Amino acid sequence: MLVIKSVIQAIVDINRTLLLSDVEYFSSYERSYCLSKTNPLASFAGILCAKAAFMSAIAHSAHPDCTFADVEVRHSATGRPWIGLVGPLAQWCQEQRLAIDTSISHSGEFAAATVLLYSTQQKGHLQQLP
């Protein structure tokens, strides 16, 4: 299995009020990360694109019900984004032996993210959040 999905989002379309208050879309980590950046809206848009691309990548699979709250975009010490999962979705991806790679960028008026979802030979390749 190999699925590649990309999503592009106009930064100006991001609802500023939603970003800070609605846990349905962004975790406290994601909000904190974005608000620490010089252009928080661009970071929010990039994370939203990554979540939407992941949801699109699994859309045609028999996956458990999930929401954006089950998908969290984290960053390594070097700033590289990675997707962490919680609950039944994390377990399903482990059982399916799926790995996820993601890339996020933003420039000017747009943010974009690409998610690569692929099969591995080993279980336990995904980052599972507590």
Side-chain angles (χ1 to χ4, degrees), residues 43-92:
S43 295
F44 277 115
I47 286 175
L48 188 63
C49 287
K51 290 181 173 214
F54 174 79
M55 297 295 243
S56 179
I58 66 168
H60 299 292
S61 304
H63 63 82
D65 288 339
C66 58
T67 67
F68 278 14
D70 298 316
V71 179
E72 185 174 60
V73 176
R74 293 274 182 142
H75 297 83
S76 71
T78 62
R80 182 178 178 184
W82 55 273
I83 291 179
L85 305 171
V86 297
L89 183 59
Q91 182 178 349
W92 177 79

Side-chain angles (χ1 to χ4, degrees), residues 92-107:
W92 177 79
C93 283
Q94 291 282 359
E95 291 167 357
Q96 300 298 312
R97 297 181 180 191
L98 298 176
I100 307 166
D101 283 325
T102 189
S103 174
I104 301 173
S105 63
H106 48 80
S107 179

Side-chain angles (χ1 to χ4, degrees), residues 18 22-27 30-31 47-48 51 68-69 71:
L18 176 76
D22 196 338
V23 296
E24 183 177 331
Y25 292 99
F26 299 102
S27 70
E30 291 165 335
R31 283 191 297 280
I47 286 175
L48 188 63
K51 290 181 173 214
F68 278 14
V71 179

